[in-house]
Amino acid sequence: MPLRHFLRDDDVTHEEQAEILARAARIKGAPFTDRTLVGPEVVAVLFDKQTLRTQLSFSAAIAHLGGYPMVVDGKLAQVGVRESIADVARVMGRESVAIVWRTYGQDRIEEMARYAQVPVINALTDDFHPCQILADLLTIQEHKGALPGLTLGYCGDGANNMAQSYLLGAALAGMHIRIGTPASHQPKPEILARAEELAAEHGGSVLVTDDPVETVSGADAVATDTWVSMGQEKEKDSRQGAESPFARFQVNAGLMAQADPGAVFLHCLPAYRGFEVTEDVIDGPQSVVWDESENRLHAQKAILAWLVEQHRAGDPT
Ligand code: NVA
């Protein structure tokens, strides 16, 4: 059985995604019953970019599962600078049952996965944020019921990790995913093509449009994300300034009113009120961002435990 990783949203099948979400919901109801990492087994958690929620939620997830989170500061480890990704992967793979990594290029985490010999989980790269999308899907499921057939409208930077992960993860779930973004910030063509393929397979659809109203019209869930992702700090003025290409895509009360009246509002956080979202929306009655944030914990416990079990089943040594 090949070693499984979670480097992008479509590294699991439709059925596996549903199974992982169901496990997350069960775990949420009985937080200390899943002891997959009892030992404590060690999980290496490495950050090349800033973090708050991800360090908290993975540390708690690993501890709840009976394991030990070995958090590594990427500034000290300097993966790929001080030593090669392959060598780091070989070392960490001998010390841990899984590796969680937040880094820049998707090629970096793919290389880690090639050499680690334990499951590798993407805790955000420039291209994808699949753990966040699991948490978002869990949140939507809790508030709106079964995912297939629901519509999710995302407004903002269509080329960032959240947009690209929504495309894959929501299409895989059989949802209708709409991305509202300017022509200058489109998702990568190969990711869009893959999302269209997944949507066709699972009864959903994909729309990329530069019309924010079309994006959220009648939607069951509306999402946005910062206009300045980690690693883009030098572009802050052009992305957030008066000439921002994203200004039309701000999720405010007027735009939110175009969605279904029962729609929920999602944001992976950190949020910048007055830019991608207004205070009345993120702090208003339709916002489920705190549930979404908590659900990182439950979703990550589920994917981590599932991957470790898959690995043990395939490699019982
Ligand atoms: N697109 C954002 C997500 C933060 C969780 C970033 O990459 O900074």
Side-chain angles (χ1 to χ4, degrees):
M1 207 193 293
L3 175 57
R4 303 287 298 272
H5 303 285
F6 192 52
L7 307 184
R8 43 186 278 165
D9 307 79
D10 59 344
D11 276 343
V12 293
T13 65
H14 172 82
E15 290 73 20
E16 289 168 347
Q17 185 194 56
E19 181 189 333
I20 291 158
L21 291 173
R23 185 173 187 156
R26 276 199 311 278
I27 287 177
K28 186 169 181 175
F32 301 105
T33 49
D34 191 325
R35 304 290 289 166
T36 303
L37 299 179
V38 80
E41 297 271 25
V42 167
V43 176
V45 188
L46 174 60
F47 293 100
D48 289 348
K49 287 179 174 174
Q50 304 93 302
T51 178
L52 171 74
R53 265 153 301 279
T54 302
Q55 183 171 344
L56 284 173
S57 56
F58 265 112
S59 299
I62 294 158
H64 286 196
L65 292 169
Y68 176 77
M70 185 167 59
V71 178
V72 181
D73 181 344
K75 287 195 187 65
L76 296 179
Q78 296 180 30
V79 182
V81 177
R82 187 161 168 262
E83 57 191 321
S84 70
I85 294 174
D87 284 0
V88 172
R90 292 179 181 114
V91 169
M92 292 210 299
R94 292 289 182 100
E95 307 274 350
S96 57
V97 290
I99 296 169
V100 174
W101 195 15
R102 165 168 289 187
T103 190
Y104 292 85
Q106 187 69 13
D107 55 328
R108 285 170 61 79
I109 202 160
E110 282 168 4
E111 192 170 347
M112 180 75 83
R114 263 198 303 282
Y115 293 97
Q117 297 190 347
V118 294
V120 176
I121 296 178
N122 180 349
L124 182 149
T125 56
D126 294 343
D127 276 352
F128 301 110
H129 196 2
C131 292
Q132 180 69 54
I133 270 50
L134 282 182
D136 287 23
L137 295 180
L138 179 63
T139 310
I140 296 171
Q141 196 171 271
E142 284 171 354
H143 287 271
K144 306 302 301 177
L147 298 174
L150 293 179
T151 298
L152 167 62
Y154 166 92
C155 285
D157 182 355
N160 79 6
N161 39 23
M162 284 301 295
Q164 297 194 140
S165 265
Y166 274 134
L167 277 168
L168 295 186
L172 186 66
M175 296 173 71
H176 303 291
I177 173 69
R178 302 183 196 149
I179 303 292
T181 191
S184 51
H185 292 79
Q186 297 287 297
K188 286 186 175 154
E190 63 272 22
I191 295 169
L192 187 54
R194 176 66 181 138
E196 280 164 352
E197 193 178 274
L198 289 168
E201 227 173 286
H202 302 295
S205 64
V206 175
L207 173 74
V208 179
T209 171
D210 71 349
D211 179 351
V213 173
E214 189 182 20
T215 309
V216 306
S217 174
D220 302 290
V222 174
T224 187
D225 182 19
T226 179
W227 295 338
V228 189
S229 285
M230 290 179 275
Q232 298 174 335
E233 289 80 4
K234 287 201 182 96
E235 298 168 43
K236 188 171 176 199
D237 289 348
S238 62
R239 286 176 164 267
Q240 277 190 340
E243 302 294 305
S244 170
F246 307 116
R248 291 190 300 118
F249 298 88
Q250 180 189 67
V251 180
N252 51 37
L255 190 62
M256 204 59 204
Q258 304 292 323
D260 183 83
V264 291
F265 171 75
L266 297 156
H267 192 310
C268 63
L269 308 174
Y272 299 92
R273 290 167 175 79
F275 294 97
E276 74 273 9
V277 62
T278 52
E279 203 176 307
D280 51 353
V281 170
I282 192 167
D283 300 320
Q286 287 170 280
S287 174
V288 293
V289 300
W290 311 117
D291 291 346
E292 180 187 3
S293 173
E294 179 194 325
N295 282 340
R296 292 289 301 279
L297 169 65
H298 311 300
Q300 286 162 192
K301 282 165 82 172
I303 183 69
L304 187 53
W306 185 83
L307 279 172
V308 168
E309 278 173 8
Q310 296 285 319
H311 186 210
R312 284 182 188 148
D315 176 15
T317 50

mmCIF file of all heavy atoms in Angstrom, residues 14 22 48 50 62 73 80 88 93 95 106 114 140 145 175 207 240 247 249-250 257 261 263 276 291:
data_model
loop_
_atom_site.group_PDB
_atom_site.id
_atom_site.type_symbol
_atom_site.label_atom_id
_atom_site.label_comp_id
_atom_site.label_asym_id
_atom_site.label_seq_id
_atom_site.Cartn_x
_atom_site.Cartn_y
_atom_site.Cartn_z
ATOM 1 N N HIS A 14 -13.364 11.339 -2.472
ATOM 2 C CA HIS A 14 -14.645 11.869 -1.985
ATOM 3 C C HIS A 14 -15.101 11.093 -0.750
ATOM 4 O O HIS A 14 -15.475 11.686 0.273
ATOM 5 C CB HIS A 14 -15.678 11.738 -3.118
ATOM 6 C CG HIS A 14 -17.077 12.053 -2.729
ATOM 7 N ND1 HIS A 14 -17.569 13.333 -2.658
ATOM 8 C CD2 HIS A 14 -18.110 11.238 -2.369
ATOM 9 C CE1 HIS A 14 -18.836 13.308 -2.287
ATOM 10 N NE2 HIS A 14 -19.193 12.046 -2.098
ATOM 11 N N ALA A 22 -16.641 12.864 9.098
ATOM 12 C CA ALA A 22 -17.510 12.172 10.060
ATOM 13 C C ALA A 22 -16.714 11.850 11.327
ATOM 14 O O ALA A 22 -17.211 11.983 12.452
ATOM 15 C CB ALA A 22 -18.077 10.899 9.439
ATOM 16 N N ASP A 48 7.752 27.280 8.721
ATOM 17 C CA ASP A 48 8.612 28.232 8.020
ATOM 18 C C ASP A 48 7.947 29.601 7.928
ATOM 19 O O ASP A 48 8.577 30.572 7.515
ATOM 20 C CB ASP A 48 8.891 27.756 6.590
ATOM 21 C CG ASP A 48 9.818 26.562 6.561
ATOM 22 O OD1 ASP A 48 10.417 26.235 7.612
ATOM 23 O OD2 ASP A 48 9.950 25.946 5.485
ATOM 24 N N GLN A 50 4.692 32.355 9.682
ATOM 25 C CA GLN A 50 4.030 32.713 10.933
ATOM 26 C C GLN A 50 2.867 31.758 11.230
ATOM 27 O O GLN A 50 2.296 31.176 10.304
ATOM 28 C CB GLN A 50 3.432 34.130 10.844
ATOM 29 C CG GLN A 50 4.411 35.223 10.492
ATOM 30 C CD GLN A 50 4.462 35.493 8.996
ATOM 31 O OE1 GLN A 50 4.741 34.597 8.212
ATOM 32 N NE2 GLN A 50 4.237 36.732 8.612
ATOM 33 N N ILE A 62 -2.568 16.753 18.716
ATOM 34 C CA ILE A 62 -1.612 15.664 18.953
ATOM 35 C C ILE A 62 -1.673 15.239 20.427
ATOM 36 O O ILE A 62 -1.690 14.042 20.743
ATOM 37 C CB ILE A 62 -0.196 16.115 18.520
ATOM 38 C CG1 ILE A 62 -0.167 16.326 17.011
ATOM 39 C CG2 ILE A 62 0.866 15.099 18.971
ATOM 40 C CD1 ILE A 62 0.945 17.237 16.519
ATOM 41 N N ASP A 73 10.974 25.265 15.033
ATOM 42 C CA ASP A 73 10.981 26.603 14.433
ATOM 43 C C ASP A 73 11.792 26.556 13.134
ATOM 44 O O ASP A 73 12.996 26.272 13.156
ATOM 45 C CB ASP A 73 11.611 27.581 15.441
ATOM 46 C CG ASP A 73 11.644 29.010 14.916
ATOM 47 O OD1 ASP A 73 11.476 29.210 13.689
ATOM 48 O OD2 ASP A 73 11.853 29.920 15.730
ATOM 49 N N GLY A 80 16.371 23.190 3.760
ATOM 50 C CA GLY A 80 16.740 23.497 2.377
ATOM 51 C C GLY A 80 17.877 24.497 2.276
ATOM 52 O O GLY A 80 18.396 24.735 1.194
ATOM 53 N N VAL A 88 16.506 16.415 5.904
ATOM 54 C CA VAL A 88 15.613 16.763 7.027
ATOM 55 C C VAL A 88 14.483 15.742 7.099
ATOM 56 O O VAL A 88 14.124 15.258 8.181
ATOM 57 C CB VAL A 88 15.044 18.192 6.854
ATOM 58 C CG1 VAL A 88 13.974 18.481 7.898
ATOM 59 C CG2 VAL A 88 16.164 19.226 6.948
ATOM 60 N N GLY A 93 11.619 11.745 9.850
ATOM 61 C CA GLY A 93 10.857 10.507 9.668
ATOM 62 C C GLY A 93 11.274 9.407 10.634
ATOM 63 O O GLY A 93 10.480 8.527 10.969
ATOM 64 N N GLU A 95 12.203 10.046 13.721
ATOM 65 C CA GLU A 95 11.889 10.495 15.088
ATOM 66 C C GLU A 95 10.389 10.625 15.330
ATOM 67 O O GLU A 95 9.976 10.889 16.442
ATOM 68 C CB GLU A 95 12.504 11.888 15.340
ATOM 69 C CG GLU A 95 13.987 11.997 15.056
ATOM 70 C CD GLU A 95 14.852 11.573 16.237
ATOM 71 O OE1 GLU A 95 14.306 11.377 17.327
ATOM 72 O OE2 GLU A 95 16.067 11.432 16.030
ATOM 73 N N GLN A 106 4.906 24.569 -2.898
ATOM 74 C CA GLN A 106 4.328 23.229 -2.830
ATOM 75 C C GLN A 106 5.391 22.176 -3.160
ATOM 76 O O GLN A 106 5.360 21.063 -2.640
ATOM 77 C CB GLN A 106 3.150 23.153 -3.823
ATOM 78 C CG GLN A 106 2.323 21.885 -3.774
ATOM 79 C CD GLN A 106 1.498 21.738 -2.493
ATOM 80 O OE1 GLN A 106 1.334 22.681 -1.720
ATOM 81 N NE2 GLN A 106 0.989 20.548 -2.263
ATOM 82 N N ARG A 114 8.403 12.833 -0.340
ATOM 83 C CA ARG A 114 9.139 11.801 -1.092
ATOM 84 C C ARG A 114 10.150 11.065 -0.225
ATOM 85 O O ARG A 114 10.431 9.897 -0.435
ATOM 86 C CB ARG A 114 9.862 12.438 -2.285
ATOM 87 C CG ARG A 114 9.100 12.317 -3.586
ATOM 88 C CD ARG A 114 9.987 12.534 -4.802
ATOM 89 N NE ARG A 114 10.673 13.814 -4.817
ATOM 90 C CZ ARG A 114 10.084 14.965 -5.155
ATOM 91 N NH1 ARG A 114 8.813 15.001 -5.476
ATOM 92 N NH2 ARG A 114 10.778 16.091 -5.148
ATOM 93 N N ILE A 140 -19.414 24.052 7.778
ATOM 94 C CA ILE A 140 -20.576 24.205 6.882
ATOM 95 C C ILE A 140 -21.551 23.053 7.121
ATOM 96 O O ILE A 140 -22.765 23.255 7.212
ATOM 97 C CB ILE A 140 -20.120 24.270 5.405
ATOM 98 C CG1 ILE A 140 -19.268 25.519 5.170
ATOM 99 C CG2 ILE A 140 -21.322 24.253 4.462
ATOM 100 C CD1 ILE A 140 -18.578 25.573 3.814
ATOM 101 N N GLY A 145 -25.931 21.322 7.024
ATOM 102 C CA GLY A 145 -26.269 19.938 6.675
ATOM 103 C C GLY A 145 -25.357 19.360 5.608
ATOM 104 O O GLY A 145 -24.271 19.889 5.364
ATOM 105 N N MET A 175 -19.809 20.035 -3.962
ATOM 106 C CA MET A 175 -20.441 21.346 -3.774
ATOM 107 C C MET A 175 -20.313 22.190 -5.051
ATOM 108 O O MET A 175 -19.541 21.863 -5.953
ATOM 109 C CB MET A 175 -19.775 22.082 -2.606
ATOM 110 C CG MET A 175 -19.964 21.386 -1.274
ATOM 111 S SD MET A 175 -19.015 22.156 0.058
ATOM 112 C CE MET A 175 -19.911 23.681 0.290
ATOM 113 N N LEU A 207 -17.248 27.838 -10.720
ATOM 114 C CA LEU A 207 -17.401 29.102 -11.445
ATOM 115 C C LEU A 207 -16.317 30.055 -10.952
ATOM 116 O O LEU A 207 -16.156 30.238 -9.739
ATOM 117 C CB LEU A 207 -18.781 29.717 -11.151
ATOM 118 C CG LEU A 207 -19.010 31.124 -11.710
ATOM 119 C CD1 LEU A 207 -19.220 31.090 -13.227
ATOM 120 C CD2 LEU A 207 -20.206 31.793 -11.033
ATOM 121 N N GLN A 240 -3.700 46.289 -0.466
ATOM 122 C CA GLN A 240 -4.681 46.821 0.497
ATOM 123 C C GLN A 240 -4.970 48.304 0.319
ATOM 124 O O GLN A 240 -5.897 48.823 0.931
ATOM 125 C CB GLN A 240 -4.172 46.610 1.934
ATOM 126 C CG GLN A 240 -4.458 45.238 2.480
ATOM 127 C CD GLN A 240 -4.165 45.142 3.971
ATOM 128 O OE1 GLN A 240 -3.428 45.951 4.520
ATOM 129 N NE2 GLN A 240 -4.704 44.123 4.611
ATOM 130 N N ALA A 247 -10.821 45.497 -3.856
ATOM 131 C CA ALA A 247 -11.771 46.344 -3.118
ATOM 132 C C ALA A 247 -13.224 45.977 -3.429
ATOM 133 O O ALA A 247 -14.066 45.919 -2.535
ATOM 134 C CB ALA A 247 -11.501 47.818 -3.432
ATOM 135 N N PHE A 249 -14.432 43.265 -3.967
ATOM 136 C CA PHE A 249 -14.783 41.931 -3.459
ATOM 137 C C PHE A 249 -14.902 41.899 -1.936
ATOM 138 O O PHE A 249 -15.016 40.835 -1.343
ATOM 139 C CB PHE A 249 -13.750 40.893 -3.961
ATOM 140 C CG PHE A 249 -13.740 40.804 -5.458
ATOM 141 C CD1 PHE A 249 -12.935 41.642 -6.219
ATOM 142 C CD2 PHE A 249 -14.572 39.910 -6.103
ATOM 143 C CE1 PHE A 249 -12.958 41.582 -7.609
ATOM 144 C CE2 PHE A 249 -14.603 39.840 -7.493
ATOM 145 C CZ PHE A 249 -13.784 40.684 -8.243
ATOM 146 N N GLN A 250 -14.856 43.074 -1.321
ATOM 147 C CA GLN A 250 -15.005 43.127 0.139
ATOM 148 C C GLN A 250 -16.358 42.505 0.535
ATOM 149 O O GLN A 250 -17.383 42.807 -0.071
ATOM 150 C CB GLN A 250 -14.980 44.581 0.609
ATOM 151 C CG GLN A 250 -15.131 44.703 2.119
ATOM 152 C CD GLN A 250 -15.338 46.161 2.564
ATOM 153 O OE1 GLN A 250 -16.360 46.777 2.267
ATOM 154 N NE2 GLN A 250 -14.342 46.702 3.227
ATOM 155 N N ALA A 257 -25.983 40.374 1.817
ATOM 156 C CA ALA A 257 -27.450 40.352 1.608
ATOM 157 C C ALA A 257 -27.831 39.668 0.296
ATOM 158 O O ALA A 257 -28.987 39.301 0.096
ATOM 159 C CB ALA A 257 -27.995 41.773 1.652
ATOM 160 N N PRO A 261 -30.554 33.991 2.718
ATOM 161 C CA PRO A 261 -30.711 34.629 4.043
ATOM 162 C C PRO A 261 -30.153 33.760 5.182
ATOM 163 O O PRO A 261 -29.753 34.284 6.221
ATOM 164 C CB PRO A 261 -32.226 34.798 4.183
ATOM 165 C CG PRO A 261 -32.784 34.702 2.800
ATOM 166 C CD PRO A 261 -31.826 33.902 1.970
ATOM 167 N N ALA A 263 -27.400 32.053 4.961
ATOM 168 C CA ALA A 263 -25.979 31.778 4.661
ATOM 169 C C ALA A 263 -25.092 32.030 5.876
ATOM 170 O O ALA A 263 -25.365 32.912 6.689
ATOM 171 C CB ALA A 263 -25.521 32.664 3.505
ATOM 172 N N GLU A 276 -10.842 43.009 3.650
ATOM 173 C CA GLU A 276 -11.583 41.935 2.972
ATOM 174 C C GLU A 276 -12.975 41.701 3.562
ATOM 175 O O GLU A 276 -13.831 41.099 2.925
ATOM 176 C CB GLU A 276 -10.778 40.622 2.975
ATOM 177 C CG GLU A 276 -10.690 39.888 4.304
ATOM 178 C CD GLU A 276 -9.540 40.349 5.184
ATOM 179 O OE1 GLU A 276 -8.911 41.368 4.831
ATOM 180 O OE2 GLU A 276 -9.268 39.695 6.211
ATOM 181 N N ASP A 291 -16.460 29.013 15.407
ATOM 182 C CA ASP A 291 -16.663 27.567 15.230
ATOM 183 C C ASP A 291 -15.620 27.029 14.251
ATOM 184 O O ASP A 291 -15.030 25.968 14.450
ATOM 185 C CB ASP A 291 -18.049 27.268 14.627
ATOM 186 C CG ASP A 291 -19.182 27.568 15.592
ATOM 187 O OD1 ASP A 291 -18.912 27.749 16.786
ATOM 188 O OD2 ASP A 291 -20.338 27.626 15.129
#
